Amino acid sequence: MKYRQVHLDFHTSEKIEGIGERFSKDQFQEALQKGFVNSITLFSKCHHGWAYHPSKANEIHPHLHFDLLGEQIEAAHEIGVQTPVYLSAGFDEKIAHRHPEWIVRMKDDSMLWTKSFLEPGYHKLCINTPYLFYLLDQIREVCENYEADGIFLDIIGVQPCYCRHCRETMEGEGMDPFNEEDVMALAERVYANYAKRVRETIDSVKPGLPVFHNGGHIRRGRRDLAYRNSHLELESLPTGGWGYDHFPLSAAYARTLGVEYLGMTGKFHQSWGEFGGFKHPNALRYEASLSIANGAGVSIGDQLHPSGEMDMATYSLIGKAYEELSLKEPWLRKAETLADIGVLSAEAVLETSGGLHERALAEAAKLADIGAARILLEGHYLFNVIDKEEDFTRYSLILLPDIILLGKELKNKLEQYVEQGGKLLSTGCSGLDRDKTDFQLDFGIHYLGENEFRPDYFRPGFVVEDLDNAAFVMYSQGYSIENVSGEELGSRENPYFNRTASAFCSHLHSPSRNKKAGPGMVSGKDGIYISWEVFSDYATTGSLILKRMIQYALDRLLKDKKTVRTSLPAQGIVTLAKQKNRYVVHLLYGVPVKRGKNIEVIEDLQPVYKIEVALNCKEKIKRVYLAPGELELDYKQELEIVQFMVPKLELHQMVVAEYLI
């Protein structure tokens, strides 16, 4: 897999003339070389539905008069740059207008993405219609006529649909078109057939050619969907609404699947489709570094002007990130990212139990996963996000965020994990049986039910930020428990009353009664339980006490098994990889700021100094140095702890600890 890729969007209206008239092989090559690019995804068919090459399976753009795709591929290959080829699978606006009966329909018969033809936008097509055969012919044509280095298919996934074809299929099989389970069952089957037919079509011409089906999100818990791809491209444009903490969460799951993966960002100030938008070079440098620190390659989105001329300012911008990356690659290849903690994804558990069809559960799972990743990133813990198929014994600790109810199979797997020495951290209703009657794991407690007061209060049995003996408000749903055999680490306190029209106090909620109302945090045989949905709460409120509760519990459970400790500030990120005979510590520090209503940007870089790092390793270290410059660092190793100090960190620094074999 190439580490320095560009995804060159080219969605071009038929209303625009002079398509490709300013394309120049020399200028195209100059841009790629200026950007230090070694792979570029080029367009066969765009969302508008037009081909950018002569085609029998499709129609060439009406204002393109030569084989643009062919010349782009030839120019790229001439300088050693790979060329995956893009086809829009879910969108084809030309065909949507000609065959509106092929458009995905919602339950109320409205169209997906754009509700009508009276507003600008695309309409998603159903692959349970003859459109599938039309698309397969286009894929086959590209494979037959061009030296594509892969196929990228966009806007495609498991899609519930109520179009005429889907309704007729369900009715013909005795299914109910208005039963959500039947609709989802057909959607799963339709997508599986599509993926199978695509693979067969490609392999009939070029066996084994890489293919990726982009649905915008790698669904945690759906390995079957992930494995229909040759590799993964994790779409995550921080300024496009994803934010800067989305990619680390997505990558933390992808790296458990055993396939190569890219982090896909963009050069845009906002998101896809923005002409003339540029992010600060420091932002793109940070995003590239964030990808490689999380074990991924990098793909940067660009958009080609209809004239076919490459924007040199864009490739100067990309080059600032990719020139640095090119120097770092020797310390990236075949490196395994290490983790102490496995976060059992709420999304993954609900996916495999069918729960994600309910919108409220889907949102709760999303928030639980987001909150867990944020706290672990800010606390500089090494973690993966895992599903039920993962080998739990790879981790010293398994975290069960907020809503993980246990069926028999998962209960048994967790019990076996604990018997082998593993520890658990559970929050909210995690660890209860599916009927929420009692805990299925031994935290030394008994379940009493949901607390009737919300919010309520937590009084920790440990000091938080020098706020000794404080009672902290807890906004999420609390669960009442009885301590049976555990060690109480903090207690619950109730307010005077819930806020209602007939009883309210001050602006938000009534204060604590300052009376103990049962335990709020307990340590038992299998691990620690916290009786609030702290991760969902952290994702929405970010209250400091939530992070400190989790960090206290994690440190107590991990003890000396924590692999990396560092003085890096909370906004920094640390990851650890193992490669050949060396460990590679990645340290990042870049602070996003909010611009406009909801855009996070990175502009100024604030260096941090004298970052202390302690690495827990069994090997005898022979050398510690900064990469790629190979500046030697002083270090000391006592027993299994290697300590060193990084004199200065500006954006990203790799620290390499080589050991004797």
Side-chain angles (χ1 to χ4, degrees), residues 281-344:
N282 288 338
L284 211 51
R285 291 173 58 213
Y286 180 83
E287 290 158 26
S289 298
L290 184 64
S291 281
I292 62 173
N294 281 279
V298 188
S299 176
I300 297 174
D302 179 27
Q303 183 165 222
L304 184 64
H305 189 274
S307 69
E309 183 177 13
M310 299 283 271
D311 184 82
M312 298 306 291
T314 292
Y315 288 86
S316 176
L317 173 65
I318 291 172
K320 288 179 172 61
Y322 277 178
E323 183 178 13
E324 292 180 7
L325 178 50
S326 69
L327 301 175
K328 297 173 181 177
E329 287 187 22
W331 291 271
L332 306 176
R333 298 198 175 280
K334 297 183 179 179
E336 176 191 5
T337 303
L338 304 181
D340 297 326
I341 299 168
V343 179
L344 185 55

Side-chain angles (χ1 to χ4, degrees), residues 1 111-112 175 217 288 308 373 456:
M1 183 185 70
M111 293 182 282
L112 191 61
M175 303 167 74
H217 174 59
D456 52 5

Side-chain angles (χ1 to χ4, degrees), residues 239-519:
T239 56
W242 284 262
Y244 274 95
D245 58 1
H246 175 270
F247 175 74
L249 169 58
S250 187
Y253 179 65
R255 61 177 170 250
T256 69
L257 300 178
V259 296
E260 293 183 309
Y261 54 102
L262 296 167
M264 178 186 283
T265 184
K267 67 95 177 181
F268 317 105
H269 171 66
Q270 294 190 76
S271 194
W272 298 111
E274 181 182 47
F275 288 104
F278 301 88
K279 62 181 44 161
H280 195 282
N282 288 338
L284 211 51
R285 291 173 58 213
Y286 180 83
E287 290 158 26
S289 298
L290 184 64
S291 281
I292 62 173
N294 281 279
V298 188
S299 176
I300 297 174
D302 179 27
Q303 183 165 222
L304 184 64
H305 189 274
S307 69
E309 183 177 13
M310 299 283 271
D311 184 82
M312 298 306 291
T314 292
Y315 288 86
S316 176
L317 173 65
I318 291 172
K320 288 179 172 61
Y322 277 178
E323 183 178 13
E324 292 180 7
L325 178 50
S326 69
L327 301 175
K328 297 173 181 177
E329 287 187 22
W331 291 271
L332 306 176
R333 298 198 175 280
K334 297 183 179 179
E336 176 191 5
T337 303
L338 304 181
D340 297 326
I341 299 168
V343 179
L344 185 55
S345 164
E347 177 185 277
V349 172
L350 288 178
E351 277 276 14
T352 50
S353 63
L356 270 188
H357 298 166
E358 299 181 34
R359 185 173 299 177
L361 280 175
E363 182 63 19
K366 174 184 175 182
L367 292 175
D369 287 352
I370 289 172
R374 283 182 183 170
I375 289 178
L376 295 179
L377 286 168
E378 292 170 11
H380 306 137
Y381 296 91
L382 306 181
F383 70 98
N384 285 338
V385 175
I386 64 175
D387 56 29
K388 294 189 292 187
E389 296 181 49
E390 176 71 329
D391 177 7
F392 289 0
T393 62
R394 294 179 56 194
Y395 307 97
S396 299
L397 186 151
I398 300 292
L399 194 155
L400 310 176
D402 293 355
I403 59 171
I404 308 293
L405 302 179
L406 305 186
K408 183 177 180 181
E409 182 181 350
L410 181 54
K411 172 181 179 290
N412 291 339
K413 187 168 183 176
L414 287 168
E415 285 179 336
Q416 292 173 11
Y417 166 75
V418 171
E419 288 173 3
Q420 296 174 18
K423 289 294 182 182
L424 305 172
L425 173 58
S426 180
T427 64
C429 61
S430 290
L432 293 171
D433 63 274
R434 288 179 176 171
D435 295 325
K436 294 187 178 180
T437 59
D438 210 348
F439 289 99
Q440 302 299 291
L441 302 163
D442 188 357
F443 297 113
I445 54 178
H446 175 63
Y447 180 64
L448 300 177
E450 292 186 0
N451 189 23
E452 62 179 303
F453 294 99
R454 181 176 178 184
D456 52 5
Y457 294 83
F458 174 63
R459 192 177 295 274
F462 49 92
V463 177
V464 177
E465 304 295 311
D466 295 326
L467 302 173
D468 194 15
N469 200 32
F472 296 87
V473 65
M474 305 295 288
Y475 291 103
S476 66
Q477 179 62 56
Y479 297 87
S480 296
I481 56 174
E482 176 187 7
N483 189 0
V484 178
S485 61
E487 178 185 354
E488 188 171 315
L489 304 177
S491 60
R492 178 194 313 281
E493 295 178 3
N494 289 326
Y496 285 92
F497 41 72
N498 286 329
R499 187 176 180 88
T500 65
S502 60
F504 64 91
C505 179
S506 190
H507 299 290
L508 289 178
H509 47 257
S510 62
S512 170
R513 287 181 175 271
N514 291 326
K515 293 181 180 179
K516 183 176 177 180

Side-chain angles (χ1 to χ4, degrees), residues 238-239 243-245 283 286-287 290 570-573 589-595 599-606:
T239 56
Y244 274 95
D245 58 1
Y286 180 83
E287 290 158 26
L290 184 64
Q571 294 86 356
I573 291 176
Y589 190 76
V591 182
V593 297
K594 190 175 180 180
R595 295 280 170 81
I599 296 178
E600 293 182 357
V601 303
I602 289 177
E603 184 174 341
D604 298 326
L605 295 179
Q606 181 64 48

